[in-house]
Amino acid sequence: MHKLDENALARMLSSYRDPTTTKKDVMNALRIYHGLQHRVEEYVFNDGSTKMLLNLHGTIPVKYKGNTYNIPICIWLMDTHPKNAPICYVKPTPEMRIKVSAYVDFNGKIYLPYLHDWNPKNADLLDLIQIMSVTFGEVPPVYSKGPETTYQQPSYMPPTPATSTSYNPPYPTQQFTPYPVPGPGYNSYGQPAPGAAGPGYGMPYGMPPYPPAPGSISGQTPSVGTGTITEEHIRASLISAVEDKLKRRVQEKVNQCQAEVQTLRRTQQELNEGQVKIKEIMSRLERDEKELTKSITVLKDKEKELERALESLDNVESIDVDEAVTTTAPLYKQLLNAYAEEAAIEDATYFMGEALRSGVIDLEVFLKQIRQLSRKQFMLRALMQKCRQKAGFSA
């Protein structure tokens, strides 16, 4: 187990946009997976551009058919981490070959739904590595070259395919630590160092071999080191190619169906929302229609009343203006007459001023008439006040 140097890691992440979060994410992963190490290297993108990025390289434990294997991987962290998902690769040793599947391509690049749907708020490296371990336990990303290896153990028997119920590992069954611990003479990928002696297949001593090549037949010992391509090799290669092609097509079909289902669900949701809105509009229109019908009925009744009133007025003789308004008592009549006469004096005063302004009358006539009208207006107002007091009205 290597000791984590937080200060060195912080210096490596000095060019990252969020070094604090990235450092925390990396340290959490390294504390759990001791077979991983970190370093800064140059990464070459597809367009040829390069950038110095931090990567985690080493092995992660993967359980496959009851045995634990150390799978070599490399995780590159973008300088925008954790906003953008990491770029992950399987790094096979010379004794391994990449097994192409829906999760790993010919170049070893890893494709996972977790990476595709990367969410910066709740996604981290620890969960990513755990998902890799589970996924590779179901679909191994590498397998042993087998016949091409130069190391041969007399007691080795090829492992049986997935359809067989028996499996005999070439080494005694042992209790394995859940994390890969490189032994002497091995590098961090479990690959023998130059000049070091050790068991083949790129694994620490005591570990079971990597999953066999697809289509290996139990009970038949392939020729080692002859370089001859047998019929079984061709058959295994064809089976693997057909299997991978079918898996890809099925996965594409499943993804297409899921996308169509999601589109239909969104359309259904929009239709349901539109239906609710249409119902609300229809209810509002029905209420407005009822109110309009009621208003039309009222207007028709009023129209009939006006027509009857007009007919009654046609039958009535001419009305004297002075007798149009009648009072119930002489006091009220006196008050009404005084009010009407006072209002007439107000109008006369206004028109007298207009006549003076336009030069119709001279100033002497204006003052004489205004004096008389003002005296009479004063008397009328005094009379109205007394009438209101006698009638009990407010002053």
Side-chain angles (χ1 to χ4, degrees):
M1 173 179 173
H2 57 277
K3 185 177 179 181
L4 296 178
D5 190 347
E6 297 187 18
N7 294 330
L9 180 59
R11 289 193 297 271
M12 292 179 181
L13 298 173
S14 59
S15 62
Y16 278 61
R17 297 184 183 179
D18 192 355
T20 304
T21 304
T22 306
K23 175 185 172 184
K24 180 180 178 181
D25 200 4
V26 171
M27 293 191 65
N28 289 338
L30 294 178
R31 287 193 183 101
I32 300 299
Y33 292 93
H34 303 152
L36 296 176
Q37 298 180 5
H38 62 282
R39 65 188 176 192
V40 174
E41 291 182 317
E42 187 178 58
Y43 182 81
V44 181
F45 293 90
N46 294 334
D47 58 358
S49 60
T50 60
K51 185 174 291 187
M52 299 300 294
L53 299 177
L54 179 75
N55 67 69
L56 302 182
H57 62 281
T59 59
I60 60 173
V62 174
K63 288 188 177 182
Y64 179 72
K65 292 186 178 181
N67 295 318
T68 302
Y69 302 91
N70 290 329
I71 302 298
I73 63 168
C74 183
I75 302 175
W76 293 86
L77 303 183
M78 298 293 99
D79 56 357
T80 56
H81 186 84
K83 183 178 180 181
N84 296 105
I87 301 175
C88 307
Y89 289 91
V90 174
K91 292 295 207 180
T93 62
E95 291 78 15
M96 306 177 198
R97 283 184 178 174
I98 294 175
K99 185 178 185 300
V100 179
S101 65
Y103 306 110
V104 181
D105 64 9
F106 291 95
N107 297 322
K109 189 173 182 180
I110 299 173
Y111 300 90
L112 293 173
Y114 190 81
L115 290 171
H116 183 268
D117 301 328
W118 182 268
N119 187 349
K121 295 182 180 179
N122 49 30
D124 55 30
L125 292 176
L126 191 57
D127 290 345
L128 173 61
I129 297 173
Q130 291 173 353
I131 292 173
M132 281 187 192
S133 180
V134 174
T135 304
F136 292 161
E138 298 175 355
V139 183
V142 295
Y143 61 90
S144 173
K145 286 185 179 180
E148 296 180 6
T149 182
T150 57
Y151 178 81
Q152 183 179 5
Q153 194 170 359
S155 61
Y156 172 74
M157 293 295 292
T160 58
T163 57
S164 176
T165 57
S166 62
Y167 176 72
N168 297 320
Y171 303 111
T173 305
Q174 301 180 13
Q175 295 293 332
F176 303 108
T177 177
Y179 309 111
V181 181
Y186 291 86
N187 58 19
S188 58
Y189 289 142
Q191 178 182 354
Y201 303 100
M203 298 172 294
Y205 183 79
M207 296 295 289
Y210 286 94
S216 296
I217 307 301
S218 177
Q220 298 181 3
T221 305
S223 59
V224 179
T226 61
T228 303
I229 300 177
T230 64
E231 182 179 353
E232 294 298 331
H233 293 160
I234 298 175
R235 180 173 176 271
S237 177
L238 290 175
I239 291 175
S240 176
V242 171
E243 177 186 358
D244 293 340
K245 190 171 183 179
L246 288 175
K247 285 183 178 179
R248 285 196 299 271
R249 290 190 176 181
V250 169
Q251 187 63 36
E252 290 175 359
K253 194 66 177 178
V254 169
N255 294 337
Q256 181 181 356
C257 292
Q258 289 179 349
E260 291 177 356
V261 169
Q262 292 178 357
T263 302
L264 291 175
R265 285 179 178 174
R266 286 196 298 270
T267 304
Q268 182 182 11
Q269 183 179 359
E270 293 174 357
L271 290 175
N272 291 334
E273 293 175 354
Q275 183 181 12
V276 173
K277 292 181 180 179
I278 290 173
K279 287 182 178 179
E280 292 178 354
I281 294 172
M282 291 296 295
S283 300
R284 188 165 59 249
L285 289 175
E286 289 176 357
R287 291 194 301 268
D288 293 343
E289 184 181 8
K290 290 179 181 179
E291 292 178 359
L292 288 173
T293 303
K294 188 183 298 184
S295 300
I296 290 172
T297 303
V298 173
L299 288 174
K300 287 181 178 180
D301 294 339
K302 295 294 184 182
E303 184 180 6
K304 290 180 180 179
E305 291 180 4
L306 290 174
E307 290 177 353
R308 288 195 297 268
L310 289 174
E311 290 177 358
S312 62
L313 288 175
D314 292 339
N315 299 328
V316 177
E317 298 178 356
S318 60
I319 300 174
D320 187 2
V321 177
D322 296 331
E323 297 179 358
V325 180
T326 58
T327 58
T328 57
L331 181 61
Y332 298 154
K333 186 174 182 179
Q334 187 179 11
L335 179 61
L336 179 61
N337 293 333
Y339 178 78
E341 191 173 354
E342 193 270 338
I345 291 175
E346 284 284 343
D347 294 341
T349 303
Y350 171 76
F351 286 108
M352 289 289 291
E354 290 296 322
L356 177 63
R357 188 178 299 108
S358 59
V360 176
I361 58 175
D362 55 8
L363 181 60
E364 183 179 356
V365 175
F366 173 77
L367 292 176
K368 181 179 180 181
Q369 294 298 327
I370 287 297
R371 190 180 302 112
Q372 293 176 0
L373 292 173
S374 299
R375 187 180 298 111
K376 190 173 183 179
Q377 186 181 31
F378 175 76
M379 298 301 293
L380 290 171
R381 289 184 176 178
L383 178 61
M384 284 191 296
Q385 187 174 3
K386 287 184 179 181
C387 290
R388 294 180 68 87
Q389 289 176 357
K390 288 289 184 179
F393 298 152
S394 59

